Amino acid sequence: MLTQVQFAGQALQLGERDGRCVLLRGETLVMPLAISAPCGFSPDRRGKVRIEPFNRGSRIVLVEHVRPDPRMAGVERPSCIRESQAVREIRGVLEAGTVIASSCCGHGPTDQKLFVAGFDW
């Protein structure tokens, strides 16, 4: 699980506070997120943190939490709920988008829509 990134000119990492995922700079809280811990950054095709450039200079990372879907207990193939929350840097400010839930057990490359859909542009 990818938990560290160089983003917005800072070395940031993901952590946990009270069961929730948080964005940290060292031990300093940068931003609480609305998804549960543990969480990780969405990878690119090479397995590194994907940083998505978008809309005239903004940059976005996607934070994900994946858990088994309890409604599918006992089913042959597992089903999972993935909660995704994007964090963007726009004009030097970090902002968290809304949480988007989907059904996926993997941690592979993600469609760009999940990076941008949680924000008003």
Side-chain angles (χ1 to χ4, degrees):
M1 186 178 300
L2 299 169
T3 59
Q4 298 182 23
V5 68
Q6 188 69 33
F7 183 70
Q10 317 174 59
L12 300 173
Q13 61 270 352
L14 294 170
E16 180 266 332
R17 301 264 169 96
D18 300 320
R20 292 298 207 200
C21 190
V22 295
L23 195 59
L24 302 166
R25 182 179 50 249
E27 293 295 317
T28 304
L29 178 66
V30 174
M31 176 181 298
L33 299 172
I35 60 176
S36 297
C39 58
F41 291 110
S42 181
D44 63 17
R45 296 195 188 284
R46 294 180 313 274
K48 299 182 188 283
V49 175
R50 180 174 170 188
I51 299 174
E52 184 69 25
F54 190 76
N55 201 22
R56 288 179 243 130
S58 68
R59 295 165 22 106
I60 306 166
V61 292
L62 189 66
V63 180
E64 303 172 319
H65 169 78
V66 178
R67 68 180 184 279
D69 185 344
R71 299 171 296 177
M72 301 302 284
V75 176
E76 190 172 313
R77 263 187 33 215
S79 181
C80 300
I81 297 172
R82 175 169 52 178
E83 294 176 322
S84 302
Q85 187 171 18
V87 175
R88 73 178 171 184
E89 175 199 13
I90 188 164
R91 292 184 283 285
V93 177
L94 292 178
E95 297 178 284
T98 59
V99 175
I100 299 171
S102 59
S103 178
C104 179
C105 291
H107 286 284
T110 303
D111 190 290
Q112 184 192 47
K113 291 177 198 76
L114 286 178
F115 283 77
V116 300
F119 299 106
D120 289 330
W121 294 95

